[in-house]
Amino acid sequence: MAEEKNTKSGRLSGLKTEFGKIVWADSKDVSKQTTAVVAVSVVVALIIIVLDAVINKGVNILVNL
């Protein structure tokens, strides 16, 4: 039982050490990355919308032959 307690405290100590190594990005970097993600998402959505419309028109043309 004592060995189990030592390993749990060792794990928590190691976890605390690892959390201390985390480097968080500053708000300027986060806002730039967020803007980039939103912009790319919008561009990809527009590409998908255009492709969907083209494929839909093509299928409609083939069905109506």
Side-chain angles (χ1 to χ4, degrees):
M1 186 78 161
E3 291 177 23
E4 183 180 335
K5 190 173 184 179
N6 286 337
T7 58
K8 284 183 181 179
S9 65
R11 288 182 193 158
L12 290 177
S13 174
L15 186 61
K16 186 176 179 181
T17 302
E18 291 301 317
F19 271 116
K21 294 179 185 178
I22 295 173
V23 178
W24 296 99
D26 60 349
S27 62
K28 186 177 178 181
D29 288 338
V30 171
S31 64
K32 283 182 181 180
Q33 292 176 358
T34 301
T35 303
V37 167
V38 170
V40 169
S41 297
V42 168
V43 169
V44 169
L46 291 174
I47 291 171
I48 291 172
I49 289 170
V50 169
L51 286 175
D52 182 52
V54 169
I55 291 170
N56 192 14
K57 291 280 185 184
V59 168
N60 285 339
I61 290 171
L62 290 174
V63 167
N64 291 330
L65 286 179

